[in-house]
Amino acid sequence: MTELETDVLVIGGGPAGTWAAVSAAAAGATVVLVDKARCGSSGPTAHGAISLWHIPPGPARDEAVRRAHAHGGGLGDAELMYRVLEETYQRIEQVARWGYRIATDPAAPATRRIYLDGAGYLRRMRRGVREAGVRVLDHHPALQLLVDRDGVVAGATGLRNDNGFERWTVRAGAVVVATGGCAFLSGGAGTDVDTGDGLLFAAEAGAELSGMEFSCAYSLLPQGNAETSALRGLGLRFATLYDESGAELPGHRSAALAAIADGRRVFAGLDDGQAARTRPARQGIADRAKRVPLRAVLGGTVRGTGGLRVTGPECATTVAGLFAAGDVVSRESVTGAVSGVDGLGGAWAMASGVWAGTSAAKFARTADRRAPAHEVPGAGLNAVARIDPRAVIGLVQEHTLPLRRSYWRSAGSLRDSIGELDGMWPGAEFDLGGRGVDLLRARQAAALLAVARWTKYSALMRAESRGMHRRTDHPGATDTWRVRLNSGGVRSVWVRPEAPRTMPRQPRDIVA
Ligand SMILES: Cc1cc2nc3c(=O)[nH]c(=O)nc-3n(C[C@H](O)[C@H](O)[C@H](O)COP(=O)(O)OP(=O)(O)OC[C@H]3O[C@@H](n4cnc5c(N)ncnc54)[C@H](O)[C@@H]3O)c2cc1C
């Protein structure tokens, strides 16, 4: 049994967690970071090139905010977008000073994004974390939060999965959860660790969520190649896409996904140069006509925007002592109803990591670490397993992965999914469990099920189509629904529209 005490505990060592850890340490806190795999080499960022917004103050930034706000269906918060852009701009300058080479996209200089090699960036972040004096515990998945008698978060507990599955406990003055989103084990590169664990243990402690209906963005991957990253990593990003009739798909990715959802086959066409350079061609995935057949892979809340509701730029959740950063947080304020992968997801991970780490360090200064604390009871943690986690995961995937369940939605299909997933919940709560690796799998299965239920309930309430949320029975967007949906609850799920006073600020309110 490992028992540690620290000012700030960071759970998750992707970009958000590493920025949180260095920022908490810079604010004078002692910091422990736990990761269920290896800090700095797990999660989607470690598996490809990422682009980030890098826009200097001035008209270009105003224009970027205006466009992103409109693109996000009006759910974003212009003031927060400006803050994210400014924070990221400063931090990227810091990354550049470390000697890390940052490439600008020559094809699209006006968009002012920078491209980072994700693996190198995270390796450097890990070094920065160690240099800041943070204690890093790899292969230490967190299972439950600790709270004191007032419900204030006071640490976490979990298992080591590299050494006999020994139990560990870290008592902390504040906790930052940075466990990433939930991709429902769909097979996207690096998303195997993104099983929604942090969403579940935070919700069990009473945290609220927001935007969980925006959990249905898909990536395009070459057929039959589970190990590859999305199109970007294959040099296919700029390839022309066709359907099986040979018709070019205008609008590129969205038209391709719509075609796959309609049951048509879709291909990326390679020119001679691409065919020679790209991995699919080398691996024989491209056919004689130099076409690569594509499939759609669900990104869940990783490429979606739903997650824990934070109350402002301090990144405090609705539970005292618990802060959150990166994909585990709802990014509606920044990306609205659309996916944030084109530069905003990584920018948010960076900015929210800095803010959550700094706020947690401040909170920890006044926290009473001598007050007794206990583990928050949770689902899937039973001593004896009576059901196989694979049965739970199979049901969750049946109701999330197919495009007919997530790309297109209707009240009928959502009600059907809710009925099935709710029916499984008591089993997950009381009959999932075990010891060692079985306990880890059981807990992940419970988290996947919990996330699936929040997404379905939220999608059912939003009776319109906005951004990535497409209702076949409500094809248009309406002003009534230009509102965020909060959700929560574990045994019984609830969803309600956010109070109007907290509605997002629009660009004209800020830039006038
Ligand atoms: C295909 C694809 C392409 C993308 N392209 C871009 C892009 O071009 N630009 C961009 O800005 N964004 C992009 N993104 C999004 C970007 O990858 C994420 O926004 C970013 O990785 C989020 O960082 P994070 O630290 O919040 O989460 P993650 O990177 O997912 O890291 C989560 C960490 O938490 C750990 N963890 C999970 N559960 C536990 C637990 N129970 N206990 C302890 N540790 C745990 C994991 O091991 C992992 O290290 C893309 C995503 C995908 C899937």
Side-chain angles (χ1 to χ4, degrees):
M1 172 88 173
T2 308
E3 290 190 33
L4 297 171
E5 206 179 307
T6 188
D7 294 333
V8 174
L9 169 66
V10 177
I11 305 176
T18 50
W19 278 104
V22 291
S23 305
T30 56
V31 184
V32 172
L33 183 153
V34 293
D35 195 289
K36 89 173 172 191
R38 187 173 183 278
C39 162
S41 47
S42 61
T45 296
H47 290 258
I50 59 157
S51 66
L52 293 176
W53 268 18
H54 185 55
I55 308 175
R61 194 176 279 186
D62 298 340
E63 176 60 11
V65 169
R66 196 194 59 71
R67 287 177 61 150
H69 190 272
H71 191 48
L75 294 184
D77 179 335
E79 186 183 337
L80 198 71
M81 288 171 168
Y82 275 105
R83 280 185 188 233
V84 169
L85 282 170
E86 180 55 26
E87 188 69 59
T88 315
Y89 192 70
Q90 302 294 339
R91 298 297 159 178
I92 287 173
E93 298 293 314
Q94 185 181 332
V95 171
R97 283 198 296 276
W98 289 340
Y100 191 79
R101 199 175 65 82
I102 294 168
T104 306
D105 179 11
T111 59
R112 305 283 189 116
R113 294 201 181 99
I114 60 113
Y115 287 78
L116 293 173
D117 143 42
Y121 164 50
L122 280 188
R123 264 200 309 276
R124 188 58 188 82
M125 285 307 297
R126 181 181 171 98
R127 216 164 94 207
V129 165
R130 302 297 283 261
E131 285 165 4
V134 173
R135 182 156 181 190
V136 178
L137 302 176
D138 293 320
H139 309 292
H140 278 60
L143 292 175
Q144 285 162 281
L145 293 174
L146 304 177
V147 290
D148 70 14
R149 71 168 80 86
D150 298 320
V152 179
V153 172
T157 177
L159 287 184
R160 294 182 65 153
N161 61 5
D162 62 346
N163 186 8
F165 297 99
E166 191 185 75
R167 195 93 195 175
W168 60 262
T169 299
V170 177
R171 187 69 206 262
V175 173
V176 178
V177 55
T179 48
C182 176
F184 301 108
L185 296 176
S186 60
T191 59
D192 53 325
V193 290
D194 293 331
T195 47
D197 311 2
L199 294 167
L200 177 58
F201 59 63
E204 286 168 343
E208 293 180 8
L209 303 123
S210 180
M212 292 305 286
E213 66 278 31
F214 304 123
S215 52
C216 43
Y218 286 79
S219 304
L220 290 167
L221 293 184
Q223 287 278 12
N225 192 343
E227 288 305 309
T228 52
S229 182
L231 280 183
R232 60 188 179 134
L234 293 164
L236 295 177
R237 188 184 174 117
F238 302 108
T240 310
L241 304 185
Y242 301 92
D243 73 6
E244 58 198 21
S245 71
E248 195 175 320
L249 294 164
H252 209 69
R253 212 173 62 87
S254 54
L257 288 169
I260 296 174
D262 283 349
R264 282 179 283 154
R265 289 187 302 148
V266 166
F267 302 85
L270 305 180
D271 62 28
D272 288 342
Q274 286 168 327
R277 279 194 311 273
T278 57
R279 214 181 325 166
R282 287 202 303 272
Q283 292 174 343
I285 295 170
D287 62 15
R288 278 163 192 265
K290 300 193 193 88
R291 298 182 316 175
V292 179
L294 301 177
R295 65 194 165 102
V297 176
L298 183 65
T301 68
V302 176
R303 291 192 67 122
T305 65
L308 296 173
R309 183 163 90 81
V310 292
T311 53
E314 307 76 30
C315 290
T317 68
T318 47
V319 177
L322 183 65
F323 298 80
D327 282 0
V328 78
V329 181
S330 168
R331 283 135 288 149
E332 279 169 301
S333 305
V334 184
T335 69
V338 300
S339 175
V341 289
D342 283 332
L344 276 172
W348 169 253
M350 197 178 249
S352 62
V354 171
W355 300 336
T358 310
S359 310
K362 192 168 162 203
F363 186 93
R365 270 181 230 135
T366 55
D368 176 9
R369 288 219 295 270
R370 283 159 309 170
H374 63 272
E375 294 162 3
V376 178
L381 292 165
N382 301 287
V384 180
R386 280 181 286 269
I387 55 174
D388 187 329
R390 285 173 299 189
V392 177
I393 295 170
L395 184 79
V396 168
Q397 291 187 325
E398 196 184 307
H399 287 274
T400 51
L401 304 192
L403 287 109
R404 68 173 189 286
R405 290 285 183 188
S406 293
Y407 188 84
W408 295 124
R409 292 157 156 176
S410 67
S413 81
L414 289 166
R415 285 207 182 95
D416 174 50
S417 294
I418 288 170
E420 297 268 332
L421 297 169
D422 279 358
M424 181 58 98
W425 183 255
E429 192 173 357
F430 303 114
D431 297 331
L432 270 178
R435 294 184 170 279
V437 73
D438 292 338
L439 184 61
L440 294 178
R441 288 190 185 131
R443 187 67 167 148
Q444 285 189 174
L448 292 164
L449 180 57
V451 178
R453 291 170 73 223
W454 292 316
T455 68
K456 299 294 174 188
Y457 274 93
S458 302
L460 181 60
M461 177 167 276
R462 185 173 287 285
E464 63 155 2
S465 294
R466 188 179 295 266
M468 71 182 77
H469 171 70
R470 298 172 193 85
R471 286 279 298 258
T472 51
D473 49 350
H474 295 283
T478 66
D479 276 352
T480 324
W481 287 107
R482 204 180 69 78
V483 62
R484 297 189 199 140
L485 298 182
N486 297 161
S487 56
V490 178
R491 198 168 287 168
S492 308
V493 172
W494 57 265
V495 186
R496 59 174 173 254
E498 192 162 290
R501 67 185 164 76
T502 54
M503 272 308 289
R505 284 151 290 191
Q506 300 194 32
R508 65 170 176 270
D509 301 333
I510 309 294
V511 195

